[in-house]
């Protein structure tokens, strides 16, 4: 699989990677056929069509995404990882590929590597909601309360609905208690004599 993908990368000149991220007409038709087979439950045949789509257009971000997702769906985590990483070589700004890679790594029992993938996504798009949610979940699972709190605060700042905002406020309140000794804003030391003016302002000290 690695050699096949490497060959595909050589076919498409690197300088054109950002000029053509969407699928060519033939690749798009193959992707649609693969999608139909996947909906019908024929994952193996769908994978064949997605691979053909990549052969037809090695610059297609969507083909990498579909093929990676199909491998991940059948539990072939190493194949999925290789596909997402190959796609990211072509298009390092492709959020679906970073998310697919992170979820694959989580399912493969590699949460630290998954967290690095999420941080790479957020370095490119700091307000990406799925990325922020995944960062918060990963941080919460490993007890990194301050990191989880930071992610939930970022989500809350751009909550699309009051219902979601209320849910995020509940998480934020619980995490604020857990992170209180570490968080520079909610820590009891935020308003102490050694605190900086910026920290006091963020903590709304009297």
């Amino acid at each position: 699989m690695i050699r096949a993908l490497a060959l595909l990368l050589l076919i498409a000149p690197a300088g054109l990677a950002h000029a053509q991220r969407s699928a060519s007409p033939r690749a798009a038709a193959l992707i649609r056929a693969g999608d139909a087979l996947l909906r019908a439950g024929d994952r193996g045949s769908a994978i064949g069509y997605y691979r053909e789509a990549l052969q037809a257009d090695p610059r297609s971000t969507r083909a990498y995404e579909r093929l990676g997702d199909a491998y991940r769906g059948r539990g072939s985590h190493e194949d999925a990882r290789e596909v997402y990483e190959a796609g990211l070589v072509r298009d390092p700004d492709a959020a679906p590929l970073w998310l697919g890679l992170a979820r694959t790594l989580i399912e493969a029992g590699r949460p630290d590597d998954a967290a690095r993938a999420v941080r790479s996504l957020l370095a490119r798009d700091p307000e990406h909601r799925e990325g922020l949610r995944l960062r918060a979940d990963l941080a919460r699972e490993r007890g990194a309360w301050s990191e989880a709190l930071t992610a939930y605060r970022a989500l809350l700042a751009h909550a699309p609905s009051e219902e979601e905002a209320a849910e995020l406020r509940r998480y934020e309140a619980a995490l604020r208690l857990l992170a209180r000794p570490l968080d520079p804003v909610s820590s009891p030391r935020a308003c102490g004599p050694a605190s900086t003016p910026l920290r006091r302002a963020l903590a709304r000290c009297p």
Side-chain angles (χ1 to χ4, degrees), residues 126-167:
E127 296 180 4
H128 194 284
R129 293 193 63 77
E130 286 185 74
L132 286 168
R133 176 73 75 167
L134 201 51
R135 180 190 177 193
D137 291 345
L138 282 164
R140 198 177 60 195
E141 286 174 11
R142 69 177 191 271
W145 310 125
S146 291
E147 183 180 353
L149 182 57
T150 298
Y152 278 120
R153 282 174 174 162
L155 282 166
L156 184 58
H158 303 283
S161 67
E162 182 53 39
E163 182 180 355
E164 183 170 344
E167 177 196 358

Side-chain angles (χ1 to χ4, degrees), residues 45 72 113 138 182 190 195 200 205:
S45 295
R72 186 168 72 89
D113 291 335
L138 282 164
L182 304 172
S195 183
R200 291 177 64 83
C205 298

